Amino acid sequence: MPRVLIGFVRAIEAMNRAIGRVAMYLIFALIGVLLWSSVSKVAFLPSLWTLETAQFVMVAYYILGGPYSIQLGSNVRMDLFYGNWTVRQKAWVDAFTVLFLMFYLGVLLYGALGSLAYSMGYFGMQPLDYFAEFFGALLTGGIDGAAEKLGFLERSSTAWRPMLWPIKLVLAFGIFLMILQTLAELIKDIGRIRGVEI
């Protein structure tokens, strides 16, 4: 296996391990938000923000922890025959299923980017074209240039009305990390098929 691929796999796994561990600590933020929500209801304190904040933290917790879960192999698998197969046979099956997962995640990422672009105010452009213009304006004109590319900022329809682009950004970033991790898994499976453990 080329050193470049081995380095790529190790870098992706180190990044997803670090992000996954940080995401695990988001559970404490979620507990705090839910605890405050319970206390505020009893004490009749305003807590418009608690429900949506809890939902946003849960999305971040699951989506940023997903790549680490894939790395650890802690995803749910139906094991009727798989446990009795050799390492090479398992690698063939895993490589085959990873290709489907990568296709699914690619479609999901495209949809997430479209939703994010909509939340940031694009009109009538393809999401990738919008982001190319947005980041081009950010690089050439700084924050002021990028701010000109923002249209309306989509907000939740609840009384609190938070902007939705931050959570949609986390969602798109998490899906991108999952794609990178599944690519690393595919490289490891190809290595196992060839008899090399990465």
Side-chain angles (χ1 to χ4, degrees):
M1 195 58 65
R3 288 182 186 218
V4 173
L5 290 179
I6 293 171
F8 172 78
V9 168
R10 290 190 179 148
I12 294 302
E13 288 188 338
M15 178 180 63
N16 283 332
R17 187 170 33 254
I19 292 171
R21 287 181 178 166
V22 169
M24 285 189 287
Y25 292 115
L26 285 174
I27 197 73
F28 294 111
L30 180 61
I31 290 169
V33 169
L34 294 176
L35 183 64
W36 175 255
S37 177
S38 300
V39 168
S40 66
K41 285 178 186 172
V42 172
F44 301 106
L45 297 171
S47 61
L48 291 174
W49 59 273
T50 55
L51 178 62
E52 284 177 307
T53 302
Q55 291 171 340
F56 291 170
V57 171
M58 277 194 287
V59 166
Y61 172 72
Y62 285 114
I63 201 74
L64 294 177
Y68 189 45
S69 175
I70 292 171
Q71 180 182 340
L72 294 177
S74 52
N75 49 321
V76 177
R77 181 189 327 247
M78 189 82 158
D79 189 2
L80 297 174
F81 306 106
Y82 188 85
N84 297 322
W85 290 344
T86 66
V87 172
R88 192 164 187 251
Q89 290 170 325
K90 289 177 184 177
W92 274 106
V93 170
D94 289 343
F96 182 69
T97 57
V98 159
L99 292 174
F100 285 107
L101 179 60
M102 288 178 74
F103 174 76
Y104 170 74
L105 289 172
V107 171
L108 201 61
L109 179 62
Y110 184 78
L113 288 174
S115 182
L116 174 62
Y118 177 79
S119 291
M120 294 173 71
Y122 89 107
F123 292 105
M125 296 176 71
Q126 290 296 320
L128 297 179
D129 294 337
Y130 172 77
F131 287 116
E133 280 191 22
F134 179 79
F135 288 113
L138 183 65
L139 290 174
T140 58
I143 293 175
D144 292 334
E148 290 177 10
K149 293 293 178 188
L150 294 175
F152 81 102
L153 294 175
E154 182 186 20
R155 294 183 173 273
S156 171
S157 60
T158 62
W160 185 41
R161 298 193 37 80
M163 287 187 286
L164 295 178
W165 72 264
I167 194 62
K168 290 183 178 184
L169 179 64
V170 169
L171 184 65
F173 181 65
I175 294 168
F176 178 70
L177 291 178
M178 278 194 224
I179 290 172
L180 290 178
Q181 186 61 48
T182 54
L183 182 59
E185 294 300 315
L186 180 62
I187 292 168
K188 290 190 323 190
D189 289 333
I190 291 170
R192 285 187 199 110
I193 290 169
R194 298 174 65 192
V196 177
E197 194 67 34
I198 297 176

